[in-house]
Amino acid sequence: MLSNNNMKVHSSYSLMTTSDNYICDSNDETLLTITSNLIHRSSQPNIHLPNIVIFIITFNQLNSCQCQKRLSIDSSLLSYSFLVGLINRIFNLHSNFLIKTKHNFVITDDFELDGCIMNHVNESIVELTVDRHDKHHRCKNETNANDNYELIETENDCIIATIKSITFRPETLFKKATSWLHSSTNTKANKCLTKKEFLQMLDHSNGRLLNIHTFRQRIYDSGCEESIRSTVWCYLFRIFNETMTNEDKNQYQIDAREQYDAMKQTWQNKNESEIIILENLIQKDVTRTDSTVKFFDNKKNLSRQKLLNILMNYCIYHPEPGYVQGMTDMVAPILYVINDEPLAYACFCALMRYMSLLFHPDGIAMNRRLDLLRKTIRAIDIELWHKIEQCDIGNLMFAYRWLLLDCKREFPFKDIPRVFETLWASLPIDRFESTNVDEFSSLPIFTRRHLSTISSVTNTILSSGSNSLTPEDIIQSEHSSIDAHDSDYREEHSSSAFDLTTSYSKQEKMTIESSMPLERWLTNFSLIDNDNDFSDMFTIFLCMAILEQNRSSIMHISTSNVDNDDQIGCYFARLARKNDAQQALQLARHYHRQYVLFQIRMKQLLLTAN
């Protein structure tokens, strides 16, 4: 329990391990006994135990009836005495019993338990049988009310054994005595990826990235230095991949510039009305995007013109979804970091492969995110949810901008790169992969009719938040804006013009801290059946972190003012670009790690039923 025991699970998801060390302190004597036992066993040669063990335990009762439970156990907890205590608690036994394998091998100590697990290392489960009343083998019934673990019961007789959370518990002498050992690890883990570390991740002979998963894990945990961020982002967006040498990366940039310029000249040489309409539409938003950031006020580097060019290229060669308000917010940080127009265009195209559905006029993706946020708030903080229902009728329209733009406008601009790279590193590694699409191929420019339909419909959706459009809505859409009720944005403008549904992939491994305590709010989530839902969850937890940061203020909002039915929205409009990004990321990672681990363990347990 004192070491970082990592569980390796086959998955299509990027690495998401915890950098926090959870010290369990309910019963120091019990903890020392189990830890000492684990250290002794792990020091034995040729013994490798999986970090999460799945048991199917069948209890044979006196009347020949059987009761079966499926159990997921952290190896940091597992020992023979611990297993005996679990069986006592799970089946509510008050007598002696015998533990046997499916081949009738009797387990009586740690050595035999380790051998049983090692014999099943290539299988998904370990099957055990519990027989009551055996006069030759007596299991001591030692259930301790102060045990360091708890059982989370889920559906279909599934149980997850996990370490108890230490939140708000007094620090024990044992914890104080060992905290120095973990503090150095924590300090190192909290430091961002440096240029020196990054260069060590590359093959010194050719520049290939040696381990993409370790790299993404590092970014997820702590982000990176500004000096290497442009290259790091190219890897996160899969513009660069781990097979590319330095020569390959240089050649990609040369080819990208040549093809990008050719695409840009194609529409710049056309003096057609649809091109002019689109350019005017985008220019209006580009002018006011991040106007307080010096980079975009520097006339010498023509940053705003580059923003316009990138969006024009994207919208002309990607008529679905066309241009939608909010896209400028997503391009701006990319151009700021990459500072190369063709590369920034390629990165934006990769980002839109992940985000384009959020800008689609059908509103399906946005409604899914809103539903996930509702469910998450109710699961984690039901009292806060009741308050939001009172003030906001539960529609969460104040969070619409958060969910559309991945909270880009909720933190200071200087913190956005760290927020975005953490989010992108949390996504499945293939989320930005192109599917037989060459972003630099010159596709036909869409027609005037297609342009006018797409731009009008998408802008109406953004301004109204509605999924149903009338002809009147479409006619009025030219004057609509996502910022119509965003006081902060108006002020800025005026001041300066795990695919978890299938078996785990063998191509990628996920490492997760197995001894992380799981909170009971997780049982309010069912098994994820939609890959997109899983991908959305870091953004959802980031929104939840913002709410928790401001919980006290929200709870004190008066509901007596009948003239204002959007008091929470007004409150957060005043907080735009002022929330604490570091604290929000820390809390979002905490929620996200627990959620990912819980989903994987649930998937493992439920697979044993098939």
Side-chain angles (χ1 to χ4, degrees), residues 84-258:
V84 169
L86 275 183
I87 292 173
N88 272 305
R89 184 182 295 187
I90 291 171
F91 296 107
N92 194 27
L93 299 180
H94 300 286
S95 60
N96 298 317
F97 51 87
L98 180 68
I99 304 175
K100 299 185 296 184
T101 68
K102 63 180 179 179
H103 302 298
N104 290 322
F105 178 81
V106 177
I107 299 175
T108 60
D109 55 31
D110 287 329
F111 182 80
E112 292 170 344
L113 178 60
D114 291 347
C116 172
I117 296 172
M118 285 189 294
N119 287 335
H120 292 77
V121 72
N122 294 323
E123 300 180 20
S124 59
I125 57 175
V126 177
E127 295 185 48
L128 297 178
T129 300
V130 175
D131 288 330
R132 199 168 188 173
H133 289 304
D134 185 271
K135 61 182 179 180
H136 299 294
H137 297 88
R138 304 176 67 84
C139 293
K140 294 182 180 180
N141 191 345
E142 298 177 347
T143 302
N144 190 335
N146 294 319
D147 276 338
N148 189 53
Y149 66 94
E150 66 175 327
L151 304 182
I152 298 179
E153 296 188 23
T154 60
E155 52 192 288
N156 300 325
D157 290 325
C158 293
I159 299 172
I160 294 178
T162 183
I163 295 175
K164 290 179 181 178
S165 173
I166 63 172
T167 307
F168 305 122
R169 292 188 184 182
E171 190 173 50
T172 65
L173 179 61
F174 180 77
K175 180 178 177 182
K176 291 177 181 178
T178 57
S179 60
W180 67 270
L181 178 64
H182 301 277
S183 60
S184 58
T185 304
N186 285 334
T187 301
K188 182 178 179 179
N190 289 332
K191 290 182 179 178
C192 65
L193 179 69
T194 64
K195 183 176 182 179
K196 180 179 180 180
E197 281 183 279
F198 178 63
L199 292 177
Q200 291 174 346
M201 291 182 170
L202 304 176
D203 189 323
H204 64 87
S205 63
N206 54 32
R208 285 195 178 101
L209 185 62
L210 297 175
N211 191 318
I212 184 65
H213 308 302
T214 300
F215 163 77
R216 289 171 64 86
Q217 175 65 63
R218 193 73 174 83
I219 301 302
Y220 173 79
D221 284 335
S222 308
C224 66
E225 278 185 355
E226 186 176 352
S227 62
I228 58 172
R229 184 163 278 146
S230 59
T231 305
V232 165
W233 281 24
C234 285
Y235 275 109
L236 289 177
F237 283 125
R238 307 296 287 164
I239 302 304
F240 297 162
N241 63 56
E242 57 273 27
T243 68
M244 295 174 70
T245 64
N246 289 330
E247 183 179 350
D248 294 331
K249 287 176 278 191
N250 290 334
Q251 188 61 48
Y252 178 89
Q253 295 179 69
I254 293 171
D255 294 342
R257 178 169 298 280
E258 180 180 336

Side-chain angles (χ1 to χ4, degrees), residues 233 237 289-290 296 307 310-311 323-337 344 347-349 351-352 354-356 358-359 369 401-409 413 416 419-420 423-424 539:
W233 281 24
F237 283 125
T289 298
D290 294 315
F296 295 105
L307 277 181
I310 291 170
L311 285 165
Y323 177 70
V324 178
Q325 275 190 334
M327 287 183 177
T328 54
D329 281 278
M330 307 312 293
V331 177
I334 294 176
L335 181 60
Y336 176 82
V337 168
C347 290
F348 178 66
C349 289
L351 177 63
M352 290 305 293
Y354 158 63
M355 296 193 69
S356 61
L358 294 171
F359 294 95
R369 281 196 169 189
R401 183 183 69 190
W402 303 1
L403 297 171
L404 178 69
L405 305 179
D406 283 337
C407 299
K408 187 260 181 178
R409 293 190 196 169
F413 185 86
I416 293 304
V419 172
F420 276 2
L423 190 159
W424 298 333
T539 297

